[in-house]
Amino acid sequence: MINDILAILSKYSYVFVEGIKWTIILSVITIFFGTILGTLITFMKMSRNKILNAVTYLYIEIIRGTPILLQMYFFWLWLPKAINVNMSERRSIIVALIVNSSAYIAEIIRAGIQAVDSGQREAAKSLGIRDSYMMRYVILPQAIKNILPAIGNQFIFMLKNTSLASTFFIGELMTSWRTVQTATYKPIPALMIVGLIYLMMTWTLTLLLNRFERRLAESD
Amino acid sequence: MTDVLLKVENLKKDFGSLQVLKGIDQTIRRGEVVSIIGPSGSGKSTFLRCLNLLETPTEGRIWFAGEEITAPGINIDLHRQKMGMVFQHFNVFPNLTVLQNITLAPTLEKKIPKAEAEKQAMALLETVGLADKRNEYPRRLSGGQKQRLAIVRALAMEPEVMLFDEPTSALDPEMVKGVLRVIRSLADSGMTIVIVTHEMGFCREVSDRVLFMADGVIAEEGTPRQLFENPQHPRTQAFLREVL
């Protein structure tokens, strides 16, 4: 087995490097835009506008209630037609990943905000502090501590979810595995290589997130 | 001139099918110290929280400083700035230092320059013995210190009335005195105070008027002397037998 792994690595490492590159690109884009979109959706869902509430409620329920693979197929088939642009498959899949993660992020942020003791809101109101200031200076700084651990988890899910893009041969790590196993007929050693790479990536991400959380805890 | 500060007319509040306030009429004059006592579940806190609309009344009208705050389209934030409130569980802001807790509302909403707000905050902290804690975060304070901080945080907005919602109920016994001393000196300074309390001794000493609430109405009211020494309503008599 070790010999197989080494043999595959010596011959096909460039395939894995390409896979790593795309997994990182997909993850970074998904995490970045997913977080921004998710934050926007949170505020839309928490706003007083009933229509916005209903739309975001539906959005979140649909995304969370259907498989991510189905969403990928949907955007892959529908998006190029909808915007009438000859879009690369990769872009459609990235949109699906962003949309999917935004719904989960939105729920994490909303839960974190609502977990702040209601007395904090009442105290700010009793002082006559308007809602936007209350959010910014009282609620959000406290909510962030509830949000961060959960959002870190979500980032790791998002990184791993990019593997589903291999269904569309997008070029990330699981696609690399499919390429290598077809060429070598040795699927298991190749799978172990890919597994180890994923582990290293998720560990690195966890490490970064932990360090960020610690820094935030110190500033308090 | 009888200077009316707060006027409540036919105030009712339902929580679902539960009617907590069943029609309250009250007038509170400037400089008055009014205590609200009564068994738990009688609606004392709900009544107090309706005064600054932390609870929205189901029915009835409230006037503050001559303006109807239950009127539609009113900016309640502006009125709340003149109505300080102190809560049972302090509700100080844990993400801000002692000083920042006090200066937040004045700098944001009254646009007072930071340096000036801090100077004013320090003067307030001196009066409650917390000046040396100015840069601490609230988690380093005792319950009594947190409550004194909460009081000066409200005072920093220079309110016309202070509403106290059982301010000593969540405190360890040895912390109660210090907080009551602060409230008493406020009362002595002429501040209008409405306080929900279980501290009968304190209530008797500082109040101009005591309201006894039961089952969502003010069952009886009067001077502390009238109410404590010669209660008329059987509910008042029963309650005082229990607590005194």
Side-chain angles (χ1 to χ4, degrees):
Chain A
M1 178 70 87
I2 301 275
N3 286 341
D4 286 342
I5 291 177
L6 291 175
I8 291 173
L9 273 179
S10 66
K11 203 169 170 195
Y12 294 101
S13 57
Y14 69 96
V15 181
F16 293 117
V17 169
E18 183 71 6
I20 292 171
K21 184 183 97 186
W22 280 107
T23 292
I24 289 175
I25 290 174
L26 291 182
S27 301
V28 168
I29 292 177
T30 310
I31 287 173
F32 184 75
F33 289 102
T35 306
I36 290 176
L37 186 60
T39 310
L40 281 176
I41 290 165
T42 307
F43 286 109
M44 282 160 71
K45 194 174 182 190
M46 293 180 74
S47 82
R48 291 200 191 115
N49 186 319
K50 290 239 161 66
I51 298 167
L52 280 183
N53 294 163
V55 169
T56 47
Y57 174 82
L58 268 180
Y59 178 90
I60 290 171
E61 290 307 308
I62 290 171
I63 300 291
R64 294 205 310 171
T66 57
I68 181 168
L69 198 53
L70 181 147
Q71 294 158 20
M72 285 178 166
Y73 272 112
F74 177 76
F75 281 101
W76 179 62
L77 294 165
W78 170 79
L79 200 56
K81 277 189 201 155
I83 58 176
N84 206 11
V85 173
N86 201 0
M87 211 178 184
S88 74
E89 291 178 337
R90 198 174 268 145
R91 283 196 194 163
S92 299
I93 297 306
I94 286 175
V95 170
L97 283 168
I98 290 171
V99 166
N100 179 269
S101 60
S102 71
Y104 289 92
I105 298 259
E107 280 303 276
I108 289 170
I109 296 177
R110 188 191 54 80
I113 288 172
Q114 285 179 349
V116 174
D117 177 30
S118 62
Q120 294 292 310
R121 182 178 287 268
E122 290 185 354
K125 296 226 129 289
S126 78
L127 288 163
I129 296 175
R130 73 193 69 177
D131 287 359
S132 56
Y133 286 160
M134 172 176 77
M135 242 337 172
R136 185 163 149 205
Y137 294 99
V138 178
I139 305 295
L140 283 183
Q142 296 181 55
I144 200 102
K145 291 198 184 72
N146 308 327
I147 292 169
L148 267 186
I151 225 165
N153 257 341
Q154 187 58 33
F155 285 175
I156 287 165
F157 273 116
M158 285 149 83
L159 190 152
K160 292 185 296 181
N161 273 346
T162 58
S163 64
L164 288 164
S166 66
T167 310
F168 306 86
F169 242 74
I170 293 306
E172 42 58 67
L173 264 173
M174 283 307 283
T175 313
S176 307
W177 171 72
R178 291 174 66 175
T179 312
V180 171
Q181 69 133 339
T182 317
T184 60
Y185 297 106
K186 286 197 165 46
I188 294 176
L191 201 57
M192 292 180 84
I193 293 169
V194 171
L196 279 174
I197 298 173
Y198 272 118
L199 270 177
M200 284 192 287
M201 291 209 260
T202 49
W203 281 341
T204 311
L205 187 56
T206 307
L207 228 74
L208 286 174
L209 290 164
N210 284 348
R211 190 185 283 178
F212 185 65
E213 255 175 70
R214 259 204 310 278
R215 266 243 298 279
L216 214 95
E218 273 166 23
S219 74
D220 180 20
Chain B
M1 175 177 105
T2 50
D3 196 356
V4 174
L5 186 59
L6 271 163
K7 187 165 181 266
V8 177
E9 203 179 87
N10 191 32
L11 176 64
K12 292 181 183 170
K13 175 69 185 177
D14 302 341
F15 289 112
S17 60
L18 182 71
Q19 196 173 23
V20 178
L21 299 179
K22 299 175 180 167
I24 291 184
D25 295 283
Q26 244 325 289
T27 304
I28 291 163
R29 290 187 309 279
R30 239 175 246 280
E32 230 185 346
V33 177
V34 177
S35 295
I36 307 171
I37 62 171
S40 59
S42 57
K44 310 181 295 287
S45 285
T46 306
F47 172 47
L48 191 78
R49 290 160 57 83
C50 278
L51 292 179
N52 64 353
L53 301 190
L54 276 190
E55 301 290 353
T56 312
T58 311
E59 220 184 297
R61 300 162 80 186
I62 300 169
W63 288 263
F64 172 62
E67 204 168 342
E68 190 191 339
I69 57 175
T70 42
I74 205 130
N75 182 355
I76 187 62
D77 287 339
L78 292 178
H79 294 283
R80 285 189 181 131
Q81 288 165 18
K82 296 181 218 142
M83 310 166 99
M85 190 174 214
V86 174
F87 301 85
Q88 184 179 355
H89 295 288
F90 331 130
N91 299 349
V92 290
F93 304 133
N95 56 310
L96 302 176
T97 64
V98 165
L99 203 59
Q100 289 167 337
N101 259 276
I102 303 171
T103 57
L104 185 73
T107 50
L108 288 180
E109 292 296 351
K110 288 175 110 181
K111 305 291 173 209
I112 292 174
K114 192 166 166 246
E116 196 182 316
E118 283 181 353
K119 210 173 113 195
Q120 186 206 13
M122 282 310 297
L124 284 166
L125 282 173
E126 295 279 359
T127 65
V128 294
L130 287 175
D132 56 329
K133 304 280 184 195
R134 62 185 172 277
N135 292 321
E136 297 279 13
Y137 283 93
R139 71 189 145 95
R140 307 275 303 264
L141 303 182
S142 71
Q145 290 171 329
K146 282 181 192 165
Q147 196 60 303
R148 280 180 274 154
L149 167 60
I151 293 171
V152 291
R153 176 180 67 178
L155 289 176
M157 291 300 277
E158 299 177 324
E160 293 176 35
V161 59
M162 284 288 283
L163 312 172
F164 290 91
D165 190 3
E166 302 193 24
T168 57
S169 297
L171 292 176
D172 292 334
E174 74 270 22
M175 305 285 181
V176 171
K177 253 191 189 160
V179 170
L180 291 183
R181 198 179 306 126
V182 172
I183 301 174
R184 185 192 306 262
S185 70
L186 258 182
D188 292 342
S189 76
M191 174 66 79
T192 314
I193 292 175
V194 185
I195 178 169
V196 174
T197 186
H198 293 293
E199 299 285 336
M200 291 304 147
F202 177 77
C203 163
R204 206 167 170 160
E205 284 168 42
V206 301
S207 309
D208 296 313
R209 202 148 54 88
V210 181
L211 314 179
F212 173 76
M213 283 186 71
D215 293 328
V217 295
I218 296 172
E220 183 168 355
E221 66 167 286
T223 63
R225 235 189 131 118
Q226 288 168 345
L227 209 93
F228 283 100
E229 284 167 24
N230 191 17
Q232 301 298 310
H233 198 285
R235 291 295 302 266
T236 322
Q237 293 164 356
F239 176 74
L240 290 176
R241 261 201 309 279
E242 287 296 321
V243 298
L244 290 182

